[in-house]
Amino acid sequence: IRALSQSRYLSILSTDRLIEIINRVSNEHAIENSNSKLASLVAREAKVEAILVGNISKDGDLLKINVQLKEPFQGRVLKEESIKGRGVEKILQMVDHLSQKIRQDLQVT
């Protein structure tokens, strides 16, 4: 988040702002257990153009981080990146590498 927020071309939602929007949207709309519906409502409220989602999986000492850049209203995947590495001590390097790839994909400095 820090690496992406350093770009003057991106506006990153803080966790506090995200929670504030989720609370307001949840109170205004009856939301079923649908993460995509909630994400779409939050995106509309915050005027978001793209959502970055990801996960980390571990198999022995092999780590894999997957991220997807999604269009928030249709849920269409705009870009997908992943990285693998061995050892938990490498996770920060892996995240930094993925952040650089995403910045390049978005064509921002």
Side-chain angles (χ1 to χ4, degrees):
I1 290 172
R2 185 181 46 182
L4 294 174
S5 65
Q6 291 174 353
S7 170
R8 67 176 187 233
Y9 301 105
L10 299 176
S11 178
I12 307 298
L13 283 180
S14 70
T15 303
D16 291 340
R17 176 74 173 123
L18 184 58
I19 290 170
E20 172 191 321
I21 292 170
I22 288 171
N23 288 335
R24 187 172 59 245
V25 167
S26 296
N27 290 334
E28 293 174 2
H29 301 276
I31 299 174
E32 300 171 10
N33 291 336
S34 169
N35 288 337
S36 60
K37 174 141 175 113
L38 179 60
S40 180
L41 289 169
V42 169
R44 188 171 291 118
E45 178 74 19
K47 298 176 177 61
V48 169
E49 294 178 30
I51 297 172
L52 186 66
V53 296
N55 63 49
I56 300 173
S57 59
K58 185 173 187 242
D59 184 14
D61 71 337
L62 180 65
L63 295 172
K64 183 176 181 183
I65 304 174
N66 298 304
V67 293
Q68 291 182 330
L69 188 65
K70 291 185 168 188
E71 189 280 327
F73 305 108
Q74 302 296 321
R76 185 172 41 106
V77 176
L78 302 172
K79 187 69 179 178
E80 191 166 4
E81 296 284 355
S82 66
I83 189 169
K84 293 180 182 178
R86 295 212 174 270
V88 175
E89 65 278 356
K90 300 281 187 188
I91 197 164
L92 295 178
Q93 291 173 323
M94 294 167 62
V95 169
D96 285 344
H97 184 74
L98 271 177
S99 295
Q100 289 173 353
K101 287 173 100 175
I102 293 164
R103 286 171 67 170
Q104 289 171 353
D105 292 342
L106 293 173
Q107 300 177 354
V108 296
T109 58

